[in-house]
Amino acid sequence: MTTMLSSGFAKKFMLRQRNASQIIPYSRGSRFLSDSTRTSSATMSLRDNANASTETLPDADRRTGSEASKTAAYLDLAKARLSALVVTTTAAGFVAAGGPLSDQAALAGCCIVGTALCSSSAAAFNQIFEIDRDSKMKRTQKRPLVVNTLSVQEATTAAAVWGISGTSILALGTDPVTASLGLANIGLYAGIYTYMKPRSIYNTWVGAVVGAIPPVMGWTAATGGSLLDLDAMLLGTTLYLWQMPHFFALSYMHRVDYKRGGFAMLPVLESDGERTSHVILRYAAYLSAVPFVATACDVTSNMFALEGIALNSYALYVANNFRQERTNANARKVFLTSLWYLPTWLVLFLIHSKVWDEEKDRDVIRDQLSAFIHAVREQGKQACIHEHVVAKNSSASGEEGCPVALSKKITKGVIVDAAASTVQTVQGAGINKEI
């Protein structure tokens, strides 16, 4: 046996020496393949170990990740950023009433939470009805119902719970007018607006009503349901007008996407953007008149009209640029301008509102806020050329030199004259009728 093994080994050794030129390359190749196989095996082993550790160790982490994903999905369903804007305008409307904020803390909380839930409900119902259209648009393809992060049943349940909760909170915590406005906004947005989007260009005008209601809700909640107060009407009108440049610029930038989704947006239905640019410029002009109206009606001080000139001049400038050259870049400037325009306008309105000059019951938060606003006003006067030049000349001459104040007097005079003329006409018609 030993001899046979020895002879066999010798033959193999001699064969290897004789064919060294053939054996060696093969040996190197074998070694390379062997090393590669070992490396691949090691990599697979590491992956297996990683997968094993992923499967065995982080069950709790995986559940946490799933919960975080669900939370994010529900936030997307509620259109959290849009709801945040709704909350901001609602709060502005509430504060603008100038009520006793300390005593109204619970009322303010109910108003803001209830309005946010109503807004979330409307947004959720809107996405439920538009799943197919959202799936065709790039900007909406990652919405939770499109990617199936949430089921339709889950979304419907959330929308119903948010709507019922929001309306109930408003009804129990505020007043019937505010609650009715919240409920109406759900129906208007999820119903009429959503129905009109693929059918009529006027969907944007209807949608603007939805955006104009939240600041009015803030006002009505703070005042016990005073819906037709001039301040509330000015706030609602401003929000309505502001949405036109904002949303028409947005829809122009995404007109190709809206066309994919089958939505009847104005920029989709025209090739050159002519009407879109005209609407943007027209509503920017309307918006620029609001500070003068607020001043003429004694809702705000003269400074609001003056500062409004600076604010609206730039808004008109970018709107006119888009009118002259209808490009995505110019539309984007209009859109970006609208983002900072609204909070700036709201702050200026609150600062110059005459509600802070009224004598009201002592309230810690309101008194502090009023003191802060008056301090800001004084700082503004120190830096204002109008105060140093026009106002001093007015006091020296004994005549009012402020152009805004003069225009306010003229406007009031025109209104009084027009009212008197109307009364005389009516009386004359009555006399003629009797004769």
Side-chain angles (χ1 to χ4, degrees):
M1 175 66 77
T2 304
T3 304
M4 290 175 63
L5 290 172
S6 299
S7 63
F9 178 82
K11 288 180 180 180
K12 288 181 180 180
F13 180 80
M14 291 175 65
L15 182 63
R16 182 175 296 177
Q17 291 296 324
R18 190 182 303 121
N19 300 316
S21 60
Q22 299 178 3
I23 297 292
I24 292 173
Y26 176 76
S27 177
R28 288 176 181 171
S30 299
R31 192 178 302 116
F32 174 78
L33 290 173
S34 177
D35 292 341
S36 298
T37 302
R38 284 196 297 271
T39 303
S40 178
S41 299
T43 303
M44 290 178 66
S45 178
L46 288 172
R47 287 177 179 172
D48 291 341
N49 290 336
N51 290 335
S53 63
T54 302
E55 292 175 0
T56 56
L57 292 177
D59 287 342
D61 291 343
R62 214 166 349 126
R63 285 195 298 271
T64 302
S66 178
E67 292 171 0
S69 178
K70 280 285 187 182
T71 301
Y74 279 113
L75 289 174
D76 288 341
L77 182 68
K79 295 184 181 179
R81 286 184 295 181
L82 180 60
S83 294
L85 174 62
V86 169
V87 166
T88 301
T89 57
T90 303
F94 193 96
V95 174
L101 298 176
S102 296
D103 296 337
Q104 291 182 329
L107 178 64
C110 289
C111 176
I112 291 172
V113 172
T115 305
L117 287 171
C118 288
S119 173
S120 300
S121 174
F125 278 123
N126 171 262
Q127 291 184 59
I128 292 169
F129 297 142
E130 292 182 348
I131 297 175
D132 292 338
R133 296 185 186 278
D134 284 346
S135 65
K136 299 173 184 176
M137 296 175 60
K138 290 183 178 179
R139 63 188 298 266
T140 55
Q141 282 179 345
K142 293 184 179 180
R143 284 183 173 174
L145 291 175
V146 176
V147 298
N148 206 30
T149 308
L150 294 175
S151 67
V152 174
Q153 183 178 357
E154 288 175 322
T156 304
T157 301
V161 169
W162 291 338
I164 294 171
S165 300
T167 307
S168 299
I169 290 172
L170 292 174
L172 297 174
T174 61
D175 58 87
V177 174
T178 306
S180 298
L181 289 173
L183 181 61
N185 236 16
I186 296 175
L188 192 60
Y189 187 83
I192 299 175
Y193 170 68
T194 301
Y195 176 81
M196 290 182 65
K197 281 177 72 176
R199 295 173 175 85
S200 172
I201 61 171
Y202 295 106
N203 69 79
T204 306
W205 279 265
V206 174
V209 176
V210 177
I213 289 178
V216 178
M217 293 175 64
W219 178 275
T220 57
T223 58
S226 299
L227 181 62
L228 299 180
D229 287 350
L230 192 55
D231 304 63
M233 295 176 69
L234 285 169
L235 286 167
T237 299
T238 300
L239 262 292
Y240 181 85
L241 297 175
W242 169 82
Q243 288 173 90
M244 298 305 178
H246 177 80
F247 283 112
F248 277 117
L250 178 67
S251 59
Y252 184 85
M253 290 189 294
H254 297 285
R255 60 193 181 280
V256 176
D257 219 10
Y258 278 114
K259 187 175 182 179
R260 289 194 196 99
F263 291 112
M265 300 298 178
L266 179 58
V268 173
L269 303 180
E270 59 175 354
S271 58
D272 56 359
E274 173 71 19
R275 293 176 63 190
T276 302
S277 64
H278 178 71
V279 170
I280 288 176
L281 183 58
R282 178 155 52 93
Y283 278 91
Y286 294 160
L287 198 56
S288 67
V290 175
F292 291 97
V293 174
T295 300
C297 295
D298 273 334
V299 174
T300 60
S301 66
N302 298 338
M303 289 303 299
F304 183 54
L306 290 174
E307 291 171 0
I309 293 174
L311 179 65
N312 287 294
S313 293
Y314 184 77
L316 286 167
Y317 169 74
V318 295
N320 186 61
N321 283 349
F322 178 66
R323 173 69 173 162
Q324 300 300 322
E325 188 177 359
R326 294 178 289 277
T327 63
N328 277 3
N330 283 337
R332 182 172 179 79
K333 288 179 182 178
V334 174
F335 177 76
L336 293 176
T337 298
S338 71
L339 294 181
W340 59 259
Y341 178 97
L342 182 61
T344 303
W345 190 97
L346 289 173
V347 169
L348 291 177
F349 180 85
L350 290 175
I351 288 174
H352 297 297
S353 173
K354 289 191 174 181
V355 73
W356 308 111
D357 301 328
E358 299 174 1
E359 290 293 334
K360 293 193 175 183
D361 294 338
R362 303 294 298 177
D363 179 82
V364 175
I365 297 179
R366 186 192 185 282
D367 289 347
Q368 290 180 348
L369 183 58
S370 179
F372 173 76
I373 287 174
H374 281 92
V376 171
R377 288 179 183 177
E378 288 302 319
Q379 291 294 325
K381 286 181 179 180
Q382 297 301 321
C384 181
I385 298 176
H386 163 266
E387 288 291 331
H388 289 285
V389 179
V390 179
K392 286 183 179 179
N393 291 338
S394 300
S395 60
S397 62
E399 297 181 357
E400 179 62 68
C402 174
V404 178
L406 288 174
S407 65
K408 184 168 70 173
K409 287 184 178 180
I410 293 171
T411 302
K412 284 184 176 179
V414 170
I415 293 173
V416 171
D417 291 342
S421 177
T422 303
V423 171
Q424 290 177 359
T425 302
V426 171
Q427 289 176 345
I431 292 172
N432 292 333
K433 185 176 180 181
E434 290 177 0
I435 293 174

